Amino acid sequence: MSSENLPQSPERPESPEQQRRKPRVAVVFGGRSSEHGISVVTAGAVMKAIDRTKYDVLPIGITTDGRWALTADDPERMAITDRKVPDVDGLAESTEGSVVLSVDPGSREVVYSEPGSVPKALGEVDVVFPVLHGPYGEDGTLQGLLELSGVPYVGAGVLASAVGQDKEYMKRVFISFGLPVGPYEVVRPREWDRDPSGVRKRIVDFAGEHGWPLFIKPARGGSSMGITKVDELSGLDAAIEEARRHDPKFLVESLLRGREIECGVLEFEDGPRASVPAEIPPVTAHEFYDFEAKYIDSAAGLVPAPLTEQQTAEVQRLAVAAFDATSCEGLVRADFFLTEDGTFVINEINTLPGFTPISMYPRMWQESGVSYPQLVDRLIQAAMTRSTGLR
């Protein structure tokens, strides 16, 4: 079948009401993953940055048990306070009310209902800005729902979101495209349940080949949650237990000695472009660049990274190549190691990276000439011009 005959999303003529009103942006945040709190923080920053003269904003929080809740449009209540992250339950306007998005692609109506009350229409949504991190949001599940609903959304599609969340398949895609990847092992749930002793031996053999320390991490996690640096065999079981608390599938990676370099990719009208890269310096108060270092203690990254022109060009080339290899859209943060022999190794990509103003992705684009409000606006505009369905 030729591309001309592929089914397209129906183009609906705008009603007079749609022509008069501002586009409505639903910011969806929270979620069922262990990254719930930082998602709320990110949403607050995004909502604060959205130009209210151009857009209406509808904040929708998802509680840790999966309820879609209508929340107050109050970004100030969505910040980290006294080293504690906020949650949707504390922001929801009701403990029982729920928000429903129609899965009829002919309607983008959002409805709010409470037990014993008549459902209330909240109007149509023109675009969704998802700031959900981790499973049940960043992994293609929400993107699939939005595809069914025919609602445009910011960021990667179903496949790219799923690949970007699952570090096993992410690495397999990178390898197939010739991108440099470090040594790793994958342990799937059935393998661990069936033969934990055999898995331990495989990990010890891996350490024998590549050396200690190792990193044990959830295969489908983010924000450095559930990751443990293991210096010797005695710490292995506790590290596996911690990783499996977040995901029954986990990865084992060797320590790559070198510098941690990050690079942002943003989609423009002429295609994806890379930002200036950043460097994550050694974090002396932490074993590695973990959740506390990223979000609580605000470890300072170097932007731009002190690299040569050739190194900068190479990491930017690799970042865009990773974006293209995984069929990403919108935005990506690509994380690398610059090893002691001078080569770059890609660690992972994030299709919905940390997005507070102090997060590395916005800081890299700020240094590249795109301010935080401009970045938010560009992502919304790009999403509104992109159709759902096959593309």
Side-chain angles (χ1 to χ4, degrees):
M1 180 182 291
S2 70
S3 59
E4 295 178 345
N5 296 323
L6 287 173
Q8 303 293 320
S9 296
E11 293 188 7
R12 298 180 300 142
E14 288 189 337
S15 66
E17 188 273 336
Q18 287 175 308
Q19 294 171 358
R20 286 193 303 269
R21 68 173 174 79
K22 292 179 287 187
R24 182 173 288 114
V25 181
V27 180
V28 181
F29 60 94
R32 295 163 56 190
S33 82
S34 54
E35 297 173 80
H36 176 100
I38 198 60
S39 171
V40 178
V41 175
T42 301
V46 168
M47 287 163 54
K48 196 171 183 178
I50 292 176
D51 185 348
R52 302 305 178 97
T53 67
K54 292 177 64 175
Y55 308 103
D56 287 329
V57 175
L58 177 65
I60 300 175
I62 301 178
T63 64
T64 53
D65 61 2
R67 178 174 64 93
W68 288 44
L70 190 63
T71 69
D73 185 357
D74 188 357
E76 301 300 330
R77 294 172 55 198
M78 302 167 77
I80 295 174
T81 305
D82 297 328
R83 301 177 68 87
K84 294 181 180 178
V85 293
D87 59 44
V88 170
D89 282 318
L91 298 164
E93 295 191 350
S94 166
T95 58
E96 295 183 303
S98 61
V99 173
V100 177
L101 176 65
S102 171
V103 293
D104 177 2
S107 169
R108 297 174 181 171
E109 189 81 19
V110 175
V111 175
Y112 177 74
S113 63
E114 290 193 60
S117 301
V118 176
K120 181 175 73 171
L122 300 179
E124 291 196 340
V125 166
D126 297 288
V127 62
V128 168
F129 200 128
V131 290
L132 294 152
H133 300 303
Y136 313 110
E138 190 180 352
D139 58 352
T141 49
L142 176 67
Q143 290 75 13
L145 172 63
L146 296 173
E147 292 285 351
L148 288 174
S149 302
V151 180
Y153 53 93
V154 168
V158 176
L159 175 64
S161 297
V163 170
Q165 185 66 32
D166 192 313
K167 295 177 178 62
E168 175 192 358
Y169 290 101
M170 181 197 306
K171 291 177 186 291
R172 290 182 184 275
V173 169
F174 289 159
I175 291 169
S176 72
F177 276 82
L179 296 172
V181 171
Y184 73 99
E185 285 280 336
V186 177
V187 179
R188 298 171 180 240
R190 283 195 294 269
E191 292 177 302
W192 178 254
D193 294 338
R194 184 173 59 241
D195 186 12
S197 297
V199 169
R200 287 191 195 92
K201 181 180 184 306
R202 178 151 58 98
I203 295 173
V204 170
D205 289 345
F206 179 85
E209 180 178 358
H210 300 287
W212 300 89
L214 303 177
F215 287 91
I216 310 296
K217 60 174 62 175
R220 295 160 290 196
S223 295
S224 297
M225 300 189 78
I227 301 177
T228 305
K229 181 183 177 185
V230 182
D231 294 305
E232 56 187 19
L233 180 61
S234 61
L236 182 60
D237 281 358
I240 292 173
E241 182 179 346
E242 172 62 12
R244 282 175 52 83
R245 192 168 66 84
H246 296 266
D247 186 346
K249 181 166 76 167
F250 64 92
L251 264 68
V252 181
E253 295 179 346
S254 63
L255 173 67
L256 293 176
R257 301 187 185 279
R259 300 161 62 187
E260 291 190 51
I261 306 295
E262 298 184 348
C263 191
V265 180
L266 179 63
E267 194 169 14
F268 287 77
E269 290 80 5
D270 59 350
R273 301 182 203 169
S275 70
V276 300
E279 179 170 2
I280 307 301
V283 185
T284 56
H286 301 265
E287 279 287 314
F288 58 96
Y289 193 45
D290 61 8
F291 180 87
E292 292 261 330
K294 284 181 178 179
Y295 298 112
I296 306 299
D297 293 337
S298 300
L302 304 176
V303 187
L307 299 171
T308 67
E309 287 186 16
Q310 293 80 5
Q311 288 172 329
T312 296
E314 175 64 3
V315 76
Q316 289 175 326
R317 181 189 72 81
L318 290 170
V320 172
F323 184 96
D324 286 335
T326 47
S327 298
C328 280
E329 295 167 301
L331 73 164
V332 148
R333 193 194 72 230
D335 301 344
F336 298 86
F337 291 103
L338 176 55
T339 61
E340 292 176 338
D341 66 1
T343 60
F344 284 101
V345 174
I346 187 164
N347 182 36
E348 65 182 51
I349 60 169
N350 281 269
T351 56
L352 284 173
F355 210 83
T356 67
I358 65 168
S359 298
M360 295 308 297
Y361 184 86
R363 286 184 59 195
M364 288 187 285
W365 279 108
Q366 175 77 45
E367 189 69 24
S368 303
V370 182
S371 71
Y372 189 83
Q374 289 172 331
L375 185 58
V376 169
D377 187 70
R378 172 165 287 280
L379 290 168
I380 292 171
Q381 288 294 322
M384 290 178 65
T385 59
R386 189 187 307 133
S387 66
T388 54
L390 299 177
R391 55 190 185 274

